[in-house]
Amino acid sequence: MFNAPKQSQAKEFFNSIYLQHLSQFKSNGTSVWATDASVIGNKTGCGVCNISSNENFLFKINSKCSSLMGELNAINKAVDLMIEDGIQKAVIFTDSKNACLLLKNNTSHNYLVNIINKKVNSSNLNHLTLVWVPSHVGISSNERADYFAKQAADVGCVIPSSLAIKDACSTIYDALWNEWALAF
């Protein structure tokens, strides 16, 4: 959706483009969603906002994971909610460019990407669009999802999540580093 570096543009520029696309999605009956993740300490909060129905969902993962894995967990929960509600056409606004890029492919080394793609492909969700939006430029849906992701780290409904290989290696590295640092 956005091609220019966000530092080179005024916030109004991004909001104008966002509002134009939002209007187009709403006019053709697309259900509008926003997701975000926030890693705080050893917890990860996931905010999922159904903009169309003005509902917010807060989930937390009781382990530290990368912001990418947090965002993929948020998108996964959004897809679950869409399927549960029988939604057939939806858009998710997210500030995770990496999540958008990974989910473009039908297969990935990331287990959660494969789970999300499988859910979408085997559901009545006929059309799901992921739209990257820059963070912290005043885009209302992204700011809302960001707010609830931060809240979710403390008060969200706990969701189970396996670590991705990269996150598992990072956790092991941190534990070994801390053990070594305490020895001296």
Side-chain angles (χ1 to χ4, degrees):
M1 181 165 150
F2 300 106
N3 293 323
K6 76 178 183 182
Q7 297 83 0
S8 68
Q9 299 294 330
K11 289 182 178 185
E12 295 79 16
F13 169 79
F14 294 112
N15 274 306
S16 173
I17 294 173
Y18 165 74
L19 291 172
Q20 178 184 5
H21 285 279
L22 182 64
S23 176
Q24 289 172 342
F25 283 118
K26 284 182 174 182
S27 71
N28 70 18
T30 300
S31 181
V32 179
W33 296 70
T35 60
D36 203 5
S38 183
V39 180
I40 300 172
N42 287 328
K43 299 176 281 190
T44 304
C46 302
V48 177
C49 301
N50 182 338
I51 306 302
S52 296
S53 67
N54 199 28
E55 294 178 287
N56 306 301
F57 303 90
L58 287 71
F59 303 101
K60 73 176 172 180
I61 302 165
N62 276 333
S63 62
K64 182 179 182 179
C65 65
S66 66
S67 58
L68 171 62
M69 285 303 291
E71 186 66 42
L72 288 171
N73 272 284
I75 292 169
N76 187 43
K77 291 307 290 184
V79 168
D80 286 344
L81 292 163
M82 290 172 195
I83 292 169
E84 183 179 304
D85 289 347
I87 293 172
Q88 295 182 351
K89 190 172 14 172
V91 60
I92 298 175
F93 289 97
T94 175
D95 63 8
S96 176
K97 193 180 282 189
N98 285 338
C100 291
L101 292 172
L102 283 173
L103 287 163
K104 278 176 57 172
N105 301 318
N106 282 333
T107 59
S108 171
H109 292 293
N110 184 301
Y111 77 94
L112 201 46
V113 168
N114 294 328
I115 288 171
I116 294 166
N117 282 328
K118 185 176 180 180
K119 279 181 190 178
V120 170
N121 291 333
S122 64
S123 73
N124 288 332
L125 187 55
N126 299 327
H127 194 261
L128 177 62
T129 304
L130 287 173
V131 178
W132 173 78
V133 294
S135 60
H136 309 296
V137 295
I139 294 175
S140 60
S141 62
N142 181 256
E143 296 298 329
R144 182 171 157 182
D146 179 61
Y147 171 80
F148 287 111
K150 288 178 176 143
Q151 299 301 310
D154 289 323
V155 299
C157 178
V158 177
I159 56 173
S161 179
S162 301
L163 289 175
I165 292 171
K166 183 178 178 183
D167 291 337
C169 290
S170 177
T171 300
I172 293 167
Y173 176 85
D174 289 346
L176 291 172
W177 182 258
N178 289 335
E179 185 177 313
W180 178 82
L182 290 174
F184 294 98

